Amino acid sequence: MTPNGKQVDETSCAVFQRTLERVGQRWSGAVLFAAVGGARRFGEYRRAVEGISDRMLALRLKELERDGFIAREVIPSTPVQVLYRPTPAGAELIAALQPLGDWGHKHLAELPERESDARP
């Protein structure tokens, strides 16, 4: 039973796990946080997400767009401009994840570092 009195069923567990896997993928959360923080152009994301490669940033933006968390807008100008912004669902997801990030910062010393945490 959950704190709000709901039964935890297989479907709820699967939805929760799928959500965590999506945003828990390396760099996804950081890109979403950058979007909510005001990044719009590719270079702004690159500056906001320290350590991400151009290739990985392009991949994560494409995936987050596919999943409905980021909207991509092409402005037909010379040169062509591409802008990204969080969708309402993306902004809502980041608002839901903010307490988890806060908890992580508060309990960082208690969280064991894994080998995968150290890789760039």
Side-chain angles (χ1 to χ4, degrees):
M1 198 68 68
T2 64
N4 63 4
K6 292 186 177 182
Q7 187 71 25
V8 178
D9 60 11
E10 190 173 335
T11 301
S12 297
C13 186
V15 168
F16 183 75
Q17 186 64 38
R18 196 165 80 201
T19 303
L20 287 179
E21 287 172 1
R22 180 74 223 107
V23 297
Q25 191 172 17
R26 189 161 176 85
W27 303 112
S28 292
V31 171
L32 274 173
F33 272 105
V36 171
R40 294 296 174 262
R41 300 185 70 169
F42 191 89
E44 293 172 340
Y45 281 92
R46 189 176 340 109
R47 285 188 296 278
V49 183
E50 187 178 325
I52 193 168
S53 69
D54 287 355
R55 182 180 152 278
M56 184 56 67
L57 176 56
L59 177 63
R60 289 299 179 254
L61 285 168
K62 188 178 291 189
E63 291 170 346
L64 292 165
E65 179 188 8
R66 178 200 64 210
D67 293 342
F69 300 128
I70 295 278
R72 181 177 184 261
E73 178 185 4
V74 178
I75 299 173
S77 59
T78 305
V80 172
Q81 291 185 38
V82 179
L83 303 177
Y84 301 91
R85 62 176 171 70
T87 63
E92 185 180 352
L93 179 59
I94 287 302
L97 289 174
Q98 186 64 55
L100 183 62
D102 295 343
W103 182 93
H105 282 286
K106 182 178 178 181
H107 297 279
L108 184 61
E110 301 161 33
L111 296 172
E113 188 171 332
R114 298 173 303 165
E115 192 174 305
S116 62
D117 291 339
R119 69 178 176 187

